[in-house]
Amino acid sequence: MIVSIRNEHLAIDFSTKGAELKSIVGIDSSVNYMWRGDAQFWGKFSPVLFPIVGALKENTYEYQGDKYNLSRHGFARDMEFAYELIGTTEIAFKLRHTEETLKNYPFEFELTLRYRLSGASLQCTYQVVNPSDKTMLFSIGGHPAFAAPLNSEGTYTDYYLQFNNDDEVTFHHIEDNLIADETTTIQLKDKVLPLTHELFYGDALVFKNLKSNHIRLLNTKNYNGLNFHFEGFPYFGIWAAIDADFVCLEPWCGVADGVNHNQQLEDKEGIEKLAAGETWERSWEVCCF
């Protein structure tokens, strides 16, 4: 089911399946800032990654002596969320544990994705509540795919990412969907990373030590672009499907297993630990122009 919010600047569409952001359209310009979801390349738009980010080693983890299986990025992106419209400019999607989720993820949870429009900006807030009497372990992350080019003018290589606090970036390579020890450092002229399709032929670029909390998607042909702001996310991914005209800007609290991980959930890098009865929140925001 498609549901929408809007204001005088932007019109936003979501799917209740996965609480997935599907389009951000400028009211005056008619520019859609989101990827179109062409299944020939990648049929998603902005999945939520929960309760894991990335892949598990052998798609398996152990917790308190038992083994469980979760597919890459977890199950939330494939589940139907309840929703509540808050006026015309805000919407909240909610998901709770079920008997089925408990089979492979033995934690009770309440997950809320709240989207709010303010001017030409859309804020996404992840809220996780632990309703149980034991500590909850989880990871969560965003995966929004932004179009490049944003309209019919220009090509992919006319676009670039500009970081606010990094003169160089070091990313981890991915090996069989897992995080490898091998890294590559890219020097950034004027804090700019030019986009090329070849940049993503080895899968996502996984950053563990970004200094930036603000990345701009810009181009050399026109003034259309966006500012992507994120706080409190220790990991970040940048990805595009092979030869596809989009770029994903992915703030993560959690990361895929390393190639040498022992598969113990409590030892998983970046795992969040939420005490009984506690609430956890993080937000990212995109401003379109």
Side-chain angles (χ1 to χ4, degrees):
M1 179 177 176
I2 302 299
V3 292
S4 304
I5 59 175
R6 65 183 293 145
N7 65 8
E8 66 273 23
H9 298 283
L10 298 172
I12 317 293
D13 285 343
F14 308 90
S15 172
T16 54
K17 181 181 178 181
E20 188 171 16
L21 169 64
K22 295 183 75 73
S23 67
I24 303 174
V25 178
I27 297 294
D28 293 332
S29 66
S30 297
V31 170
N32 184 1
Y33 293 84
M34 298 294 295
W35 160 243
R36 277 58 167 181
D38 185 346
Q40 177 183 348
F41 298 95
W42 186 60
K44 294 186 179 294
F45 303 82
S46 181
V48 56
L49 316 182
F50 178 88
I52 59 170
V53 170
L56 299 170
K57 191 174 183 178
E58 299 173 352
N59 292 322
T60 302
Y61 69 91
E62 294 188 22
Y63 177 69
Q64 295 186 344
D66 293 318
K67 287 189 176 182
Y68 301 91
N69 298 102
L70 283 175
S71 58
R72 192 179 191 186
H73 295 322
F75 50 71
R77 62 181 180 163
D78 296 315
M79 295 186 70
E80 191 73 16
F81 281 65
Y83 74 93
E84 176 187 4
L85 281 167
I86 305 165
T88 59
T89 60
E90 190 169 345
I91 191 168
F93 294 93
K94 296 181 182 294
L95 183 70
R96 290 176 54 88
H97 61 278
T98 67
E99 290 184 6
E100 285 301 308
T101 66
L102 289 169
K103 290 178 182 178
N104 279 307
Y105 179 65
F107 300 95
E108 298 178 3
F109 68 87
E110 296 174 2
L111 170 63
T112 300
L113 272 68
R114 186 180 297 271
Y115 293 93
R116 182 174 63 87
L117 274 171
S118 178
S121 294
L122 176 69
Q123 182 185 69
C124 174
T125 298
Y126 304 121
Q127 181 188 83
V128 181
V129 176
N130 179 2
S132 74
D133 58 2
K134 66 177 183 179
T135 298
M136 175 187 173
L137 306 182
F138 71 96
S139 295
I140 193 167
H143 203 308
F146 300 107
L150 289 168
N151 49 38
S152 58
E153 186 177 358
T155 64
Y156 197 72
T157 54
D158 294 317
Y159 281 72
Y160 59 93
L161 299 175
Q162 186 170 55
F163 297 74
N164 67 327
N165 285 324
D166 288 280
D167 295 306
E168 65 177 26
V169 289
T170 298
F171 67 89
H172 282 257
H173 293 241
I174 292 180
E175 181 179 314
D176 295 328
N177 292 329
L178 304 179
I179 306 301
D181 294 330
E182 181 185 1
T183 62
T184 293
T185 297
I186 302 175
Q187 301 296 322
L188 304 180
K189 183 180 180 181
D190 298 322
K191 298 181 170 60
V192 164
L193 176 64
L195 289 183
T196 65
H197 290 307
E198 292 79 6
L199 189 62
F200 305 108
Y201 282 179
D203 211 320
L205 314 183
V206 177
F207 302 97
K208 296 185 178 182
N209 297 294
L210 275 188
K211 298 175 184 176
S212 296
N213 61 1
H214 191 101
I215 298 174
R216 306 181 78 197
L217 174 62
L218 303 170
N219 72 90
T220 61
K221 295 297 184 181
N222 57 54
Y223 292 104
N224 290 132
L226 57 87
N227 300 328
F228 190 83
H229 184 77
F230 51 98
E231 291 283 358
F233 295 89
Y235 305 94
F236 201 89
I238 301 178
W239 176 77
I242 291 177
D243 293 332
D245 286 341
F246 69 83
V247 61
C248 285
L249 303 179
E250 306 181 39
W252 299 334
C253 287
V255 70
D257 281 352
V259 292
N260 298 311
H261 182 51
N262 64 11
Q263 297 179 273
Q264 297 296 318
L265 188 63
E266 291 178 292
D267 297 335
K268 182 173 173 57
E269 182 178 3
I271 200 74
E272 296 285 337
K273 298 181 179 181
L274 186 62
E278 294 296 312
T279 298
W280 179 101
E281 285 191 359
R282 295 290 187 278
S283 298
W284 54 260
E285 184 173 6
V286 57
C287 179
C288 303
F289 52 87

